[in-house]
Amino acid sequence: MHQEKTYNCPVEYTLSIIGGKWKTVILWHLSNNEVLRYGELKRLVNGITHKTLSNQLKELEADGLINRKEYYQIPPKVEYSLTEKGKGLMPILKAPCEWGSKNM
């Protein structure tokens, strides 16, 4: 998704991928759970709307950070998990988590 834009530095690129209120929270929950279904994510990400969660998941998938696996059954079932690229972000997300735990 962000491939077509030119970035002046790696930090700018990284923040364009994980920036915003919800993406880091979604990634964090996926890192703590091997696989989550849409409804589970919706419950875990406090205050997010259906539309926003759906859009954020699409962007994270387009950026190669999460996998989306759809099962063709009734009722439909979709599972989300981190890709290797997404797992590579976890050390970056660990620092704000530790800081938040100390200062919350």
Side-chain angles (χ1 to χ4, degrees), residues 24 28 31 87-101:
T24 53
W28 186 255
S31 75
K87 290 175 185 176
L89 280 170
M90 291 310 103
I92 295 169
L93 298 183
K94 187 176 179 184
C97 178
E98 290 171 354
W99 186 90
S101 293

Side-chain angles (χ1 to χ4, degrees), residues 52-68:
T52 301
L53 178 58
S54 180
N55 288 338
Q56 298 290 274
L57 289 169
K58 286 176 187 173
E59 289 179 19
L60 289 167
E61 181 184 16
D63 288 330
L65 299 178
I66 64 170
N67 290 311
R68 180 182 188 273

Side-chain angles (χ1 to χ4, degrees), residues 7-48:
Y7 297 93
N8 294 322
C9 74
V11 172
E12 183 182 1
Y13 170 73
T14 303
L15 291 177
S16 75
I17 297 287
I18 63 169
K21 183 176 181 179
W22 302 111
K23 286 183 181 178
T24 53
V25 176
I26 293 166
L27 291 168
W28 186 255
H29 285 299
L30 285 171
S31 75
N32 291 323
N33 301 275
E34 199 167 312
V35 174
L36 286 172
R37 293 181 65 183
Y38 181 90
E40 293 170 321
L41 273 168
K42 179 82 171 73
R43 280 188 294 280
L44 289 169
V45 183
N46 191 27
I48 195 168

Side-chain angles (χ1 to χ4, degrees), residues 65-83:
L65 299 178
I66 64 170
N67 290 311
R68 180 182 188 273
K69 185 172 183 181
E70 190 171 344
Y71 296 89
Y72 296 98
Q73 64 183 45
I74 297 175
K77 177 180 170 183
V78 179
E79 294 179 338
Y80 296 92
S81 60
L82 291 178
T83 62

